[in-house]
Amino acid sequence: MSDELTTLWRPTGPEELELVRRSRWRAWPPRLPEQPIFYPVLNEAYAIRIARDWNAPRHGVGYVTRFRVSSEFLARYPIRQVGGETILELWVPAEELDEFNAHISGLIEVVHEFRQDLDRR
């Protein structure tokens, strides 16, 4: 098996981040029934946009996480361009998330935090 790793990012809110913390920063929580897909993103700028512009206003705080996954394993998931040139995601079916988590190398890290500016409301 190859030792190559791909860095992925995931914008998240406080509830999901708490579940990641409870996993000791090693796994993403199971999806809810209305969440059939897990969406990690392929670039930091896109993750920042989602965390800052969507998660923070909705939840009061938004986080960007970074983690690494076996490149060989990720090859099974086609890259999805869901907007502009840099709006790239992987779509991992919820039923494959345990296997996906098993291929994370190291810990899931919080690399950015955005708080809703309550004075601007």
Side-chain angles (χ1 to χ4, degrees), residues 53-100:
D53 300 347
W54 193 80
N55 290 34
R58 184 170 183 202
H59 302 287
V61 62
Y63 302 96
V64 175
T65 60
R66 178 178 61 207
F67 58 104
R68 291 164 186 83
V69 179
S70 160
S71 300
E72 186 175 314
F73 173 77
L74 288 180
R76 68 173 62 187
Y77 302 108
I79 295 172
R80 309 284 181 147
Q81 186 174 355
V82 296
E85 192 175 304
T86 62
I87 311 295
L88 305 173
E89 302 174 341
L90 296 179
W91 293 1
V92 179
E95 62 272 12
E96 296 178 23
L97 190 54
D98 285 343
E99 186 178 8
F100 180 91

Side-chain angles (χ1 to χ4, degrees), residues 6-46:
T6 297
T7 300
L8 298 173
W9 288 266
R10 171 114 174 125
T12 187
E15 296 86 8
E16 184 176 54
L17 190 66
E18 174 59 20
L19 296 173
V20 170
R21 185 194 66 74
R22 288 181 191 173
S23 79
R24 297 190 167 121
W25 305 98
R26 297 190 180 279
W28 294 101
R31 302 292 84 195
L32 299 172
E34 65 273 11
Q35 299 171 321
I37 304 289
F38 174 72
Y39 302 94
V41 304
L42 276 72
N43 68 72
E44 187 175 17
Y46 177 37

Side-chain angles (χ1 to χ4, degrees), residues 115-121:
R115 298 224 168 245
Q116 178 66 29
D117 183 354
L118 300 177
D119 296 331
R120 288 193 294 177
R121 284 188 181 183

